[in-house]
């Protein structure tokens, strides 16, 4: 298309290109070529505006008219500044003439009219009010030309308000303020025009358009306009809501915007009171409730379901956004006359089978329960027992959208696109309901206790199916009951006073649970949850129940579910045993003094289980922790005897085979059978469980050996040390070293072909890094996956044990005997081959132990820091190399596996860098007043997610330049006295400025500024640091907060460079 072609031919070419792009038979390559021709015409041809008007006026298909409007819209957006003032005026006049000649409302396509409105608003955003003062007056004149023009004016007003509210981010704050001021000056006339077209439209279709425009305005207009003429608008909307089904959704959205208005309640209390009185009047409330009742069963009509959601939101905002603030503001506020009916309506939505509606309605109960005055109102309190009964039913885990066994399933299929999305929602849904039960239990403890007792009595009377599944009614009942009891028990633990008043009901609940007999593991797991919550609160009131409760729990510990071998238990049975040991530990922690006299009997029962080989290794470790908790009141000599007996099996395993296995990587490979195929008859199934048992047992013994007050500097003042020390030297330390060596490339020849990928992360760990829900794959039920997860678990147990050793035992004594040196040597062996996720665990080995900075903390932190920094750098270089390859090969993507791998490495780099920088932040920074801890961060420019508003950036720019809200901690000040340590911090902080995550870069500016403020650098270092700051500005300079902080660091560098007589200009020039 060129200018030399005459005009009719040019239009025909444009129409031909448009038709080809819309033709489904046009090949993809040709369609792309026609699109390119159209884009070239828009960008370069000076006749774009002229052709646009001619095509838009042309009698023909709406597609051609719409295309002409697109050409005009493009010219306004991208060529407006190239036009003269007279061209602007002429363009505006042609637009108005064009709008005045539009066809009737029924004949013109809706999307064409939307394009007309969009074009007019784009012109107005560039001319009004300075160069088009009569804009609103011109719209008023235009609206008198006919219904079609009225509809277009309504669309213009709606789009104008939406863009001013923030839909158009190209508008500057100044232009937005100017246009808002001009609009507000004439708002009364605009609002009257909108309301009149809602009340008495010239043609039916105008009402829907008018309501859409009105919805955009009601949120920001003055209250007096909403309530003028004794609330005529509210009455009109309520009448339409109940009687005009064609616009019910639009009316509900308009009412919702009115009720969701924020603002200072004291300044608008009189207007809010009028609004609440109007909507809580008998007629209005009846209309709203009647409209909802007409569409209550809308499972097969998505549009009516949307309307039902809007009605629910109207009632919710009426209570939470209007009534509650008003009740709190006005002194001696009189309860609304129809308050009880309003609560019943909200209760009806809470009962609804749609869980989304129930969660929405829960906001009302949550707000009122936290309200100072409403929570004491008699009508509200009388409603709570009914609410509680509904909550008990709603806590059942029903409604899976992949099933059809409950009415909620139908609604959840409409609300959620996947099972993962529903599961995320349900966790939030249940958490909200738990909060309501908790609040009601604090407010009315006896009522909730009676409801719990009633629920338990009903549950124990329901027969259990012979083969209960997670879709059985009995499972739904018991699992929901456990979810109901847990927040009740939690509320009683949080507050002391109600326990005495409800102890009778609590004891009755425990007795009912103890009397219930079943062999179904699914029911037993829920029963254990119920029993654990009650025992933690009520066991102290009855010593007679101690033995029955312990016997019940111990029965569950060795529950087999009909299996003949403890090594072949089902998943549900294993869960019951795990929950039983967890319940036993919680009871021991909650009632240590109560159960301590029974320590001997409990230990005797444990020995019986162990001698009869009824316990797995995980259960033995749990028992060890229970006995360590109960042994706290014992004398040191008695504790020593007990610990020796508890560690007897662990010592035997170490001396028999584990010491040899842990001492070298070859021994570890042979012990675990990693040189064999799992199908080999020689493969040692269960060997890994022994490693885990000993590692976990040593950890819990050290963890529970904390003495209050702390012991003297003598290691032997703690009775556990003499028994733990041999295991640490013979097992834990060598095992950590061997595990690190296991991931080295030099070890791969020792592994069989099946275990060659042992050093890779398990799919569950990878999904955790990426941040997506893990879905178990069939291929994960293998020994490779079990070994990957199992060895990671063993490693974490060992590292946590060494961490606890530094906290529990006197550090100076550990230094004197050389233990810290051995610990450092073991942890940081083979640092470059350690699995990436192990670094997070290793970083925890750097606790700030008072008085041992120079000898323990600083050396450990520096070695862990270098390891973490190198790992992050490797991942970043891998990402850069991958992107470079794609760029050079002009590749837009790859297969799904390649893309997933690239995303994983990107997220792994972010994950590791956040962990590392957070460690440096906590260790090195304090607030100026000296308080230790993570400094308060300003709003972060986190990638594409958060942008700082212009006025916030201006406020920040006007603050004191080159200053920081934190300084180096005394620990960091001591640390930077060593040049190697200073080098680590400088490299980490300044290289971190250039990493891709803007939140990490922002944190690094804090560390960098604090380092520059307290350290003296060689002149040759400044040029390198300048380079990192400038690179950081290139990557993150588009975010206001990052840019300001980076400029602060850069100016601080400049000042320091000048102070050492370095030529800053020369340095910048070389950069």
């Amino acid at each position: 298309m060129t200018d030399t072609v005459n005009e009719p031919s040019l239009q025909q070419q444009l129409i031909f290109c448009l038709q080809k792009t819309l033709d489904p038979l046009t090949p993809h390559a040709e369609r792309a070529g026609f699109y390119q021709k159209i884009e070239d015409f828009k960008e370069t041809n000076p006749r774009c505006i002229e052709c646009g008007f001619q095509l838009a006026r042309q009698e023909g298909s709406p597609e051609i008219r719409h295309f002409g409007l697109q050409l005009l819209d493009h010219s306004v957006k991208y060529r407006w500044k190239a036009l003269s003032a007279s061209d602007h005026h002429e363009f505006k006049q042609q637009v108005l003439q064009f709008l005045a000649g539009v066809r009737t409302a029924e004949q013109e396509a809706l999307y064409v009219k939307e394009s007309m409105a969009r074009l007019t608003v784009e012109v107005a955003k560039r001319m009004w009010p300075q160069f088009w003062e009569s804009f609103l007056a011109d719209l008023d004149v235009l609206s008198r030309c006919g219904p079609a023009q009225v509809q277009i004016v309504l669309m213009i007003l709606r789009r104008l308000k939406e863009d001013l509210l923030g839909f158009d981010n190209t508008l500057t704050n100044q232009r937005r303020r100017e246009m808002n001021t001009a609009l507000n000056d004439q708002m009364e006339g605009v609002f009257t025009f909108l309301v009149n077209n809602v009340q008495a439209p010239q043609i039916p279709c105008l009402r829907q358009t008018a309501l859409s425009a009105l919805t955009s305005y009601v949120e920001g207009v003055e209250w007096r306009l909403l309530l003028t003429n004794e609330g005529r608008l509210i009455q009109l909307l309520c009448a339409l809501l109940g009687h005009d089904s064609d616009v019910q959704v639009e009316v509900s959205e308009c009412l919702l915007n009115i009720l969701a208005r924020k603002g200072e309640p004291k300044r608008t209390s009189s207007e809010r009171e009028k609004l609440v009185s109007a909507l809580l009047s008998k007629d209005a409330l009846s209309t709203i409730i009647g409209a909802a009742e007409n569409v209550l069963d809308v499972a097969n009509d998505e549009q009516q379901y949307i309307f039902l959601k809007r009605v629910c939101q109207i009632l919710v905002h009426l209570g939470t956004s209007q009534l509650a603030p008003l009740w709190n503001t006005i002194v001696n506020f009189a309860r609304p006359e129809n308050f009880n009916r309003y609560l019943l309506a909200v209760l009806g939505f809470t009962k609804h089978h749609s869980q989304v509606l129930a969660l929405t309605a829960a906001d009302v109960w949550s707000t009122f329960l936290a309200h100072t005055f409403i929570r004491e109102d008699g009508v509200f309190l009388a409603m709570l027992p009914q609410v509680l009964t509904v909550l008990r039913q709603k806590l059942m885990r029903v409604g899976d959208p992949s099933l059809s066994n409950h009415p909620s399933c139908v609604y959840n299929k409409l609300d959620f696109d996947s099972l993962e999305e529903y599961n995320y929602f349900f966790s939030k849904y249940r958490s909200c309901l738990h909060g309501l039960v908790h609040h009601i239990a604090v407010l009315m403890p006896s009522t909730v206790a009676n409801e719990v007792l009633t629920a338990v009595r009903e549950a124990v009377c329901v027969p259990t199916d012979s083969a209960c599944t997670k879709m059985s009614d009995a499972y739904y009942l018991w699992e929901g009951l456990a979810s109901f009891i847990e927040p009740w028990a939690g509320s009683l633990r949080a507050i002391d006073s109600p326990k005495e008043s409800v102890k009778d009901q609590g004891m009755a609940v425990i007795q009912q649970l103890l009397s219930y007999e079943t062999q179904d593991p699914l029911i037993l797991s829920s029963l254990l949850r119920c029993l654990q919550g009650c025992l933690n609160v009520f066991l102290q009131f009855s010593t007679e129940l101690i033995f029955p409760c312990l016997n019940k729990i111990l029965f569950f510990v060795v529950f087999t579910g009909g299996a003949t071998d403890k090594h072949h238990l089902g998943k549900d049975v294993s869960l019951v045993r795990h929950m039983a040991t967890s319940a036993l530990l919680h009871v021991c922690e909650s009632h240590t003094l109560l159960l301590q006299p029974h320590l001997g009997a409990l230990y005797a029962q444990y020995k019986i289980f162990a001698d009869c080989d009824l316990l797995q290794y995980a259960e033995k470790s749990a028992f060890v922790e229970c006995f360590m908790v109960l042994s706290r009141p014992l004398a040191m000599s008695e504790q020593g005897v007990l610990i020796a007996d508890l560690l007897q099996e662990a010592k035997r395993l170490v001396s028999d085979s584990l010491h040899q296995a842990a001492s070298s990587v070859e021994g570890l490979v042979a012990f675990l059978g990693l040189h064999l195929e799992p199908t080999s008859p020689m493969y040692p199934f269960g060997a890994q469980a022994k490693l885990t048992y000993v590692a976990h047992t040593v950890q819990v013994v050290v963890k529970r050996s904390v003495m209050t007050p702390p012991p003297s500097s003598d290691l032997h003042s703690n009775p556990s040390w003499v028994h733990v020390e041999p295991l640490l030297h013979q097992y834990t330390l060598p095992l950590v070293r061997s595990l690190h060596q296991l991931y080295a490339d030099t070890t791969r020849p020792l592994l069989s072909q099946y275990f060659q990928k042992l050093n890779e992360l398990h799919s569950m760990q990878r999904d955790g890094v990426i941040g997506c829900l893990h879905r178990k794959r069939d291929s994960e039920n293998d020994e490779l996956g079990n070994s990957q997860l199992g060895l990671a678990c063993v490693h974490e147990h060992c590292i946590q044990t060494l961490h606890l050793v530094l906290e529990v035992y006197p550090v100076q004594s550990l230094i004197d005997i050389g233990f810290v040196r051995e610990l450092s040597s073991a942890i940081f062996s083979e640092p470059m081959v350690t699995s990436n996720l192990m670094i997070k665990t290793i970083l925890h080995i750097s606790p700030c132990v008072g008085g041992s900075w120079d000898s323990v903390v600083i050396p450990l932190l520096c070695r862990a820091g270098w390891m973490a920094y190198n790992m992050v750098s490797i991942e970043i270089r891998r990402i850069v190399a991958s992107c470079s390859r794609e760029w050079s090969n002009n590749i837009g993507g790859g297969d799904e596996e390649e893309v997933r791998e690239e995303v994983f490495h990107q997220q792994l780099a972010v994950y590791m860098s956040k962990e590392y920088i957070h460690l440096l932040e906590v260790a090195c920074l304090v607030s100026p007043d000296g308080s230790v801890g993570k400094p308060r961060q300003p709003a972060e420019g986190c990638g594409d997610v958060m942008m700082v508003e212009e006025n916030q950036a201006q406020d920040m720019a006007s603050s004191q330049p080159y200053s920081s809200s934190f300084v180096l901690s005394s620990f960091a000040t001591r640390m930077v006295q060593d040049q190697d340590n200073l080098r680590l911090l400088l490299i980490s902080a300044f290289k971190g400025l250039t990493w891709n995550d803007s939140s990490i870069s922002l944190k690094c500016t804090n560390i960098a500024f604090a380092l520059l403020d307290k350290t003296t650098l060689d002149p040759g270092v400044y040029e390198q640091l300048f380079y990192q700051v400038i690179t950081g500005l290139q990557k993150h300079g588009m975010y206001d907060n990052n840019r300001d902080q980076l400029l602060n660091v850069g100016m601080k560098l400049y000042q320091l460079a000048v102070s050492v007589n370095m030529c800053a200009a020369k340095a910048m020039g070389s950069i």
Side-chain angles (χ1 to χ4, degrees):
M1 300 175 198
T2 63
D3 294 344
T4 60
V5 184
N6 58 35
E7 186 175 321
S9 176
L10 182 60
Q11 292 181 34
Q12 292 302 320
Q13 288 184 57
L14 285 171
I15 294 173
F16 177 75
C17 290
L18 174 66
Q19 291 172 342
K20 283 296 184 180
T21 59
L22 298 177
D23 187 356
L25 300 179
T26 303
H28 176 71
E30 290 185 23
R31 181 180 288 108
F34 287 120
Y35 273 127
Q36 188 60 47
K37 288 182 180 180
I38 292 175
E39 291 301 317
D40 291 342
F41 176 81
K42 287 181 180 180
E43 296 293 339
T44 60
N45 199 299
R47 295 188 178 184
C48 186
I49 294 177
E50 186 179 353
C51 289
F53 275 116
Q54 291 175 354
L55 291 174
R57 290 194 182 99
Q58 191 178 56
E59 296 292 334
S61 66
E63 291 84 3
I64 297 176
R65 293 164 60 80
H66 181 258
F67 176 62
L69 292 167
Q70 283 184 317
L71 294 179
L72 295 174
D73 186 70
H74 182 275
S75 299
V76 172
K77 287 180 177 177
Y78 302 106
R79 293 189 179 185
W80 188 258
K81 292 183 179 180
L83 302 177
S84 65
S86 60
D87 292 335
H88 292 167
H89 179 74
E90 183 182 352
F91 191 99
K92 175 197 70 174
Q93 292 300 121
Q94 289 193 57
V95 169
L96 290 175
Q97 292 172 11
F98 173 65
L99 296 180
V102 170
R103 307 171 184 180
T104 61
E106 293 84 357
Q107 290 178 338
E108 192 65 83
L110 183 62
Y111 65 88
V112 175
K113 288 182 282 189
E114 287 283 1
S115 293
M116 295 176 187
R118 180 169 57 250
L119 174 62
T120 308
V121 172
E122 289 300 327
V123 175
K125 286 191 294 188
R126 287 155 179 82
M127 298 186 67
W128 180 60
Q130 289 85 351
F131 309 109
W132 192 1
E133 295 180 2
S134 62
F135 170 59
L136 293 177
D138 291 342
L139 292 184
D140 181 53
V141 173
L142 183 64
S143 67
R144 297 171 188 168
C145 296
Q149 283 71 22
V150 172
Q151 188 175 22
I152 293 174
V153 170
L154 290 170
M155 291 177 176
I156 291 171
L157 291 173
R158 187 202 70 213
R159 180 170 289 276
L160 176 65
K161 187 62 177 178
E162 288 175 348
D163 285 353
L164 291 179
L165 288 173
F167 283 33
D168 182 3
N169 55 14
T170 63
L171 278 175
T172 64
N173 285 348
Q174 181 180 353
R175 280 294 295 146
R176 188 174 279 114
R177 282 193 295 268
E178 292 171 351
M179 296 174 68
N180 268 319
T181 301
L183 183 60
N184 290 334
D185 288 342
Q186 303 184 54
M187 181 59 73
E188 190 163 353
V190 172
F191 200 74
T192 302
F193 172 76
L194 296 175
V195 174
N196 288 340
N197 278 281
V198 171
Q199 184 176 14
Q202 298 180 29
I203 55 176
C205 67
L206 288 184
R207 174 168 284 163
Q208 190 171 7
T209 309
L211 280 167
S212 298
L214 183 63
T215 301
S216 302
Y217 281 82
V218 293
E219 194 173 359
V221 299
E222 297 179 14
W223 279 97
R224 64 178 182 83
L225 294 179
L226 292 175
L227 301 170
T228 187
N229 296 330
E230 298 181 353
R232 177 172 70 99
L233 175 60
I234 305 300
Q235 297 171 11
L236 172 62
L237 293 176
C238 288
L240 292 174
L241 188 71
H243 301 100
D244 194 340
S245 59
D246 294 333
V247 293
Q248 278 184 330
V249 174
E250 290 78 9
V251 172
S252 62
E253 289 176 348
C254 188
L255 267 174
L256 187 58
N257 272 17
I258 294 174
L259 290 170
R261 286 174 62 114
K262 306 295 182 182
E264 179 58 43
K266 290 184 179 180
R267 294 174 55 190
T268 59
S269 58
S270 59
E271 290 84 359
R272 288 176 186 269
E273 189 172 11
K274 292 178 184 177
L275 178 64
V276 170
S277 299
L279 287 172
L280 285 181
S281 64
K282 182 178 180 181
D283 293 339
L285 200 56
S286 297
T287 302
I288 295 172
I289 296 173
E293 289 175 345
N294 291 336
V295 293
L296 275 180
D297 188 13
V298 292
N300 297 320
D301 192 328
E302 188 171 0
Q303 194 67 18
Q304 289 189 348
Y305 182 41
I306 292 174
F307 170 65
L308 191 62
K309 288 181 181 178
R310 297 292 181 270
V311 175
C312 180
Q313 291 169 340
I314 287 172
L315 291 174
V316 169
H317 280 288
L318 177 58
T320 59
S321 301
Q322 304 302 327
L323 179 59
L326 192 64
W327 206 322
N328 212 22
T329 303
I330 299 179
V331 180
N332 298 323
F333 179 79
R335 180 204 312 134
E337 183 179 352
N338 295 297
F339 186 52
N340 184 63
R341 191 173 185 189
Y342 168 76
L343 293 178
L344 285 173
V346 176
L347 181 63
F349 278 106
T350 311
K351 292 178 180 178
H352 198 274
H353 289 305
S354 168
Q355 292 172 335
V356 171
L357 287 178
L359 179 62
T360 305
D363 284 345
V364 174
W365 307 116
S366 178
T367 302
F368 287 0
L369 283 167
H371 197 278
T372 306
F373 302 109
I374 300 180
R375 63 183 298 180
E376 298 176 356
D377 182 76
V379 173
F380 178 69
L381 291 174
M383 189 66 63
L384 289 183
Q386 298 181 55
V387 175
L388 192 64
T389 302
V390 173
L391 292 177
R392 175 161 65 93
Q393 300 297 324
K394 287 293 179 180
L395 280 169
M396 293 184 186
R397 192 180 181 85
V398 295
D400 189 328
S402 62
L403 304 175
S404 301
N405 59 352
H406 193 272
S408 296
C409 299
V410 181
Y411 293 97
N412 288 335
K413 289 176 181 178
L414 295 175
D415 287 319
F416 307 105
D417 296 326
S418 64
L419 185 59
E420 290 82 0
E421 186 182 354
Y422 168 72
N423 289 333
Y424 174 78
F425 160 82
F426 190 81
S427 63
K428 182 174 69 171
Y429 167 77
R430 178 170 277 186
S431 176
C432 178
L433 300 190
H434 279 174
L436 294 181
V437 175
H438 178 91
H439 282 300
I440 298 175
V442 172
L443 194 61
M444 307 173 69
S446 297
T447 302
V448 180
N450 290 329
E451 184 70 25
V452 170
L453 182 57
T454 301
V456 171
R457 285 173 175 167
E458 292 176 0
V460 297
C461 294
V462 174
T464 305
D465 300 337
S466 57
C468 186
T469 67
K470 289 188 176 181
M471 292 181 287
S472 301
D473 291 339
Y475 173 74
Y476 288 144
L477 178 65
W478 276 97
E479 200 273 340
L481 177 62
S483 295
F484 185 56
I485 288 179
E486 285 171 343
W488 170 62
S491 69
L492 295 178
R493 287 197 299 272
I495 299 177
D496 294 332
S497 55
K499 294 180 183 178
E500 293 284 348
S501 61
V502 298
K503 69 176 183 179
D504 293 337
Q505 294 98 317
M507 302 306 295
V509 168
I510 292 176
Q511 290 172 348
Q512 290 284 336
L513 294 174
L514 291 176
S515 64
Y516 185 69
E517 298 292 340
T518 183
Q519 293 295 312
D520 189 278
L522 289 174
I523 303 299
L524 287 179
S525 60
S526 298
L527 176 65
L528 271 168
R529 289 172 57 193
C530 299
L531 193 59
Q532 178 179 329
C534 295
L535 289 178
N536 288 338
V537 178
F538 297 107
L539 190 60
Q540 58 183 313
F541 295 114
S542 177
T543 56
E544 292 82 7
L545 285 177
I546 292 178
F547 273 107
C549 291
L550 289 179
N551 289 335
K552 191 78 171 182
I553 294 175
L554 292 174
F555 168 75
F556 292 145
V557 169
V558 294
F559 177 72
T560 60
T564 57
D565 186 357
K566 70 175 184 178
H567 299 294
H568 296 86
L569 302 175
K571 180 180 177 181
D572 295 333
V573 174
S574 298
L575 178 62
V576 171
R577 294 167 70 111
H578 171 73
M579 294 185 67
T581 54
S582 177
L584 182 62
L585 178 59
H586 276 85
V587 171
C588 291
E589 289 179 321
S590 302
H591 306 289
T592 302
L593 296 178
L594 188 66
L595 295 179
Q596 201 277 329
H598 306 284
L599 173 60
L602 187 61
Y603 189 70
Q605 187 63 55
Y606 162 70
K607 296 297 287 184
I608 293 174
F609 288 160
D611 292 341
C612 296
D613 197 25
L614 298 177
L615 299 175
Q616 295 180 332
Y617 282 124
E619 291 139 16
K620 291 180 180 180
S621 295
F623 269 107
V624 170
E625 188 165 8
C626 291
F627 294 134
M628 289 298 298
V629 170
L630 294 179
S631 67
R632 287 173 182 168
L634 296 178
M636 290 182 58
S637 58
E638 294 176 315
Q639 288 185 40
V641 172
L642 179 62
I643 293 171
D645 202 12
L646 292 174
L647 292 176
Q648 185 177 359
E649 183 173 2
K651 291 180 179 179
R652 178 181 58 79
L653 289 173
V654 170
S655 62
D656 287 350
S657 56
L658 294 187
H659 174 58
Q660 182 179 358
S663 298
S664 65
V665 67
E666 293 82 6
L668 185 61
V669 169
F671 178 77
L672 293 174
L674 301 179
H675 60 299
L676 303 172
E677 297 291 325
T679 55
S680 170
M682 303 297 292
Y683 185 79
F685 290 98
Q688 188 174 280
K690 297 179 181 179
L691 285 179
T692 307
Y693 165 68
V694 177
H696 188 219
T697 301
V698 175
Q699 178 188 351
V700 299
V701 169
V702 175
K703 175 184 175 182
R704 299 296 182 176
S705 297
V706 178
M707 301 183 68
T708 306
S712 65
S713 59
D714 183 12
L715 282 170
H716 296 280
S717 60
N718 192 313
S720 64
W721 174 253
V722 67
H723 307 289
V724 168
E725 181 186 17
L727 293 173
L728 293 174
H729 283 99
Q730 298 175 25
Y731 180 74
T732 305
L733 290 172
L735 181 59
V736 170
R737 185 180 291 105
S738 297
L739 283 172
H740 289 181
Q741 294 172 355
L742 184 61
Y743 292 96
D745 290 336
T746 54
T747 307
R748 289 202 172 190
L750 302 177
L751 306 179
S752 67
Q753 185 63 34
Y754 181 84
F755 288 106
Q756 285 297 307
K757 294 184 178 181
L758 183 68
N759 62 343
E760 297 181 2
L761 294 180
H762 189 270
S763 61
M764 183 170 67
Q765 296 171 306
R766 296 172 67 92
D767 289 342
V769 170
I770 295 174
C772 63
L773 184 68
H774 177 66
R775 305 185 80 176
K776 190 168 184 179
R777 304 167 179 84
D778 294 337
S779 59
E780 292 176 17
N781 296 316
D782 55 16
E783 282 302 308
L784 176 60
N786 294 337
S787 298
Q788 288 172 328
L789 290 178
L791 291 177
C793 181
V794 171
H795 179 267
E796 184 167 357
H797 285 319
C798 293
I799 295 296
Q800 291 293 343
T801 300
L802 299 177
H803 179 195
L804 290 166
V805 167
L806 294 177
E807 288 188 340
V808 173
Y809 303 108
V811 176
Q812 189 56 49
S813 298
L814 295 174
I815 297 171
D816 294 341
I817 65 173
F819 181 81
V820 173
R821 184 178 63 255
E822 295 179 47
L823 179 148
S824 178
S825 174
I827 289 177
F828 301 109
S829 61
E830 302 288 346
M832 297 308 296
V833 297
T834 303
S835 175
N836 287 321
L837 288 186
M838 288 183 177
I839 297 179
K840 178 182 177 181
T841 306
I842 291 175
L843 291 178
H844 294 165
I845 202 65
S846 303
C848 291
V849 183
S852 59
W853 286 352
D854 293 333
S855 54
V856 180
V857 182
I858 291 177
L860 291 179
L861 178 60
C862 290
R863 295 194 67 176
W866 280 118
M867 179 186 293
Y869 173 77
N870 289 331
M871 283 295 181
V872 173
S873 300
I874 290 171
E875 291 299 332
I876 291 176
R877 285 197 295 271
R878 188 202 304 261
I879 295 169
V880 172
S882 175
C883 294
S884 299
R885 285 195 303 272
E886 289 187 3
W887 183 265
S888 61
N889 295 331
N890 195 22
I891 297 176
D895 59 34
E896 183 177 352
E897 205 55 43
E898 290 178 356
V899 172
R900 188 178 182 86
E901 188 70 15
E902 183 178 341
V903 170
F904 164 71
H905 284 291
Q906 290 177 349
Q907 292 302 313
L908 181 61
V910 172
Y911 178 88
M912 290 305 308
S913 55
K914 282 185 175 179
E915 289 290 336
Y916 175 48
I917 297 302
H918 176 72
L919 172 68
L920 295 184
E921 188 182 32
V922 172
C924 298
L925 299 181
V926 293
S927 8
D929 59 3
S931 58
V932 180
K934 181 179 178 180
R936 180 182 62 84
Q937 291 289 349
E940 299 178 5
C942 300
D944 296 329
V945 179
M946 183 183 298
M947 296 293 292
V948 181
E949 290 291 335
E950 182 180 334
N951 54 356
Q952 292 175 332
Q954 292 171 353
D955 293 342
M956 202 166 17
S958 64
S959 61
Q960 169 128 17
Y962 327 138
S963 62
S964 178
S965 58
F966 36 79
V967 295
L968 282 185
S969 64
S970 54
F971 169 77
T973 303
R974 180 88 64 88
M975 183 177 176
V976 297
Q977 293 174 3
D978 182 88
Q979 288 300 312
D980 288 339
N981 300 342
L982 176 60
R983 179 169 170 264
L984 167 66
L985 294 181
L986 284 174
I987 290 177
S988 300
F990 280 87
K991 286 294 289 185
L993 300 177
T994 68
W995 290 344
N996 288 333
D997 191 281
S998 58
S999 64
I1000 296 173
S1001 176
L1002 192 63
K1003 291 182 179 181
C1004 287
T1005 60
N1006 303 333
I1007 305 172
F1009 200 98
L1011 286 171
L1012 293 177
D1013 210 28
K1014 293 293 183 181
T1015 55
T1016 303
L1017 305 177
D1018 294 333
V1021 176
Y1022 290 106
E1023 182 176 336
Q1024 302 175 37
L1025 300 186
F1026 264 126
Y1027 180 80
Q1028 302 303 325
V1029 172
I1030 292 174
T1031 306
L1033 281 168
Q1034 283 182 319
K1035 288 191 176 182
H1036 308 294
M1038 73 285 291
Y1039 309 122
D1040 294 346
N1041 209 13
N1042 290 73
R1043 182 186 64 244
D1044 292 340
Q1045 294 287 80
L1046 285 165
L1047 287 175
N1048 279 353
V1049 174
M1051 291 306 300
K1052 184 68 175 179
L1053 273 172
Y1054 179 84
Q1055 291 175 347
L1056 293 174
V1058 171
S1059 67
V1060 297
N1061 297 322
M1062 177 188 174
C1063 182
K1066 179 180 178 181
M1068 295 296 290
S1070 64
I1071 292 172

